[in-house]
Amino acid sequence: MKIPMKINGEEITLECNPDKNMLSILREQGCLSVKAGCEEGICGSCTVLLDNVPVPSCCLPASLARNSEIVTLEHFRKSAEYKIITNGFKKAGITLCGYCNAAKIFAAYQIISINKSLTREDIALQLQGIAPCCTDKDTLINGIIYAIRDNTVKGAD
């Protein structure tokens, strides 16, 4: 089946089984930031942005990505938002391990995109679906709060 989509800004048409998961497809396309972990959508190591929303690519069949835009961490690293998020993480003492980076970064991106005046409790609720392996939730929340503050200051310039 032919499935048109955009991956990291490039329009492509895949010729594949519509049930094939995007994790496998993205790895075949050379997107090495998309890691195979639990393959059940829990660990977050395969997280990508699908039309600007973080999703586990291991649970995403190619057919559901038809006419959508997928952004992997390789491409997102070029954005101003990535710099704001990773600076916030650094201030909180978060070291990116390489395994669950996409889950943490894309969760932070979604939270920052939602609202700049979230409470710690609001952020904790938004993080319920991810299980970062190298950072505790409180430290991750702190990193996101720093990123929100940096983004707010940047937006005020």
Side-chain angles (χ1 to χ4, degrees), residues 4-60:
M5 65 181 63
K6 187 186 279 190
I7 297 177
N8 291 334
E10 182 182 336
E11 301 271 350
I12 66 167
T13 300
L14 297 172
E15 180 75 41
C16 67
N17 179 326
D19 293 328
K20 186 172 184 176
N21 72 37
M22 286 305 300
L23 166 63
S24 300
I25 292 167
L26 291 166
R27 295 289 294 183
E28 289 167 5
Q29 296 289 317
C31 299
L32 302 180
S33 70
V34 185
K35 310 281 189 229
C38 70
E39 297 192 42
E40 295 177 359
I42 297 168
C43 73
S45 64
C46 68
T47 303
V48 297
L49 293 177
L50 174 69
D51 295 330
N52 223 25
V53 176
V55 298
S57 63
C58 68
C59 298
L60 178 64

Side-chain angles (χ1 to χ4, degrees), residues 1 3 17-20 61-66:
M1 171 180 242
I3 303 171
N17 179 326
D19 293 328
K20 186 172 184 176
S63 60
L64 290 182
R66 173 182 292 281

